[in-house]
Amino acid sequence: MLGTTQLEQNHSPCNKQVPQRTFAALITNLLAVLLLVIVPLVESLHGGVLWGLNYHSPKFMSQVGDALALVKLIALCAGVYLLFTQHGTLRHLVKSKWLSIVLSSVLAIVALIQIAIGLIGVLIDATLVTNRDYFHKEFEIENNTIYVFAADPGAMGTAYHYFYLKCPLPLNRYELKFIEKTNWVWELELKASGNGFDVFNQRAEFKYRVGLDEVGCD
């Protein structure tokens, strides 16, 4: 009787050890889910495209950001697919059933929230992509490159222009240094004026004078 009981215990599913190859596959699936869900989250929370790469120009990085948004959506959908199709992965790796359920639920919620926000962002970007030249402008003022971003929410709010000094960095990268925020001008033009520049509208009417006394690339 004792021998039979011992035999049953040895062959109980709870006492079976996961084969090495199976364990490696479980770890691989778990790492894939974590990478597909967490990496897009970390990149989005940073605030800058590809962790503030700032390559070539803000307009180019805007294009990269649009493409990256689609890549992140695909990655997140793949992560959710793996999470639900390989739902037993955490159960085999984590002894506590409830802990594995909590971890799976948290990953699923984080991924689904990102997918919802990402879809909204992609839809908004799709409506703005044809006007990229309107939102991102660069002007050469003497030895300086001035970048102008048009923050235009349309009928939902007030539009503004944000002026930055674009400073070159190694490897064709750049750094933006904030100069000034002004009220919106439709099709603006900049002309050098003293140690700064003047802002004109599309009818060549003077609007603002912006100084560069306190801003420099050094």
Side-chain angles (χ1 to χ4, degrees):
M1 185 69 177
L2 179 60
T4 303
T5 303
Q6 185 68 37
L7 182 62
E8 290 175 350
Q9 291 178 351
N10 291 337
H11 287 79
S12 173
C14 295
N15 292 325
K16 286 183 178 180
Q17 293 184 350
V18 180
Q20 186 174 359
R21 290 184 179 180
T22 303
F23 181 77
L26 292 175
I27 290 293
T28 300
N29 289 335
L30 177 59
L31 289 176
V33 171
L34 290 174
L35 288 173
L36 292 170
V37 173
I38 301 302
V39 172
L41 176 64
V42 173
E43 195 278 338
S44 298
L45 292 177
H46 183 274
V49 177
L50 290 176
W51 296 276
L53 176 63
N54 288 353
Y55 180 77
H56 186 58
S57 70
K59 179 181 175 182
F60 175 75
M61 292 308 301
S62 175
Q63 295 172 319
V64 172
D66 292 346
L68 183 62
L70 290 175
V71 172
K72 289 194 293 186
L73 274 178
I74 294 172
L76 288 165
C77 290
V80 171
Y81 174 79
L82 284 177
L83 187 61
F84 284 104
T85 56
Q86 304 292 331
H87 61 277
T89 298
L90 283 176
R91 184 67 188 91
H92 287 294
L93 296 175
V94 180
K95 293 183 179 180
S96 173
K97 174 183 177 181
W98 292 109
L99 181 57
S100 66
I101 292 174
V102 169
L103 290 175
S104 298
S105 300
V106 169
L107 286 173
I109 292 172
V110 169
L112 292 174
I113 290 175
Q114 290 187 83
I115 290 174
I117 296 175
L119 285 173
I120 294 173
V122 168
L123 291 175
I124 293 175
D125 290 338
T127 62
L128 302 179
V129 65
T130 56
N131 295 325
R132 205 182 303 273
D133 290 334
Y134 164 71
F135 291 98
H136 307 277
K137 293 182 181 292
E138 291 190 16
F139 299 89
E140 296 296 329
I141 304 296
E142 296 183 344
N143 295 324
N144 298 312
T145 300
I146 305 299
Y147 165 64
V148 186
F149 173 69
D152 186 357
M156 300 182 64
T158 305
Y160 296 97
H161 287 300
Y162 290 84
F163 294 88
Y164 298 87
L165 180 63
K166 181 183 175 187
C167 299
L169 295 177
L171 302 177
N172 202 25
R173 297 178 63 242
Y174 64 88
E175 178 185 7
L176 296 179
K177 294 190 176 182
F178 178 71
I179 303 172
E180 190 172 323
K181 169 186 172 183
T182 67
N183 290 329
W184 177 79
V185 177
W186 172 238
E187 289 292 342
L188 54 77
E189 290 294 334
L190 307 185
K191 294 182 181 179
S193 176
N195 189 28
F197 54 89
D198 293 338
V199 181
F200 297 84
N201 63 13
Q202 66 274 20
R203 294 188 296 272
E205 298 172 342
F206 172 79
K207 287 296 182 179
Y208 309 105
R209 176 159 293 170
V210 180
L212 297 174
D213 295 317
E214 300 180 2
V215 184
C217 290
D218 296 332

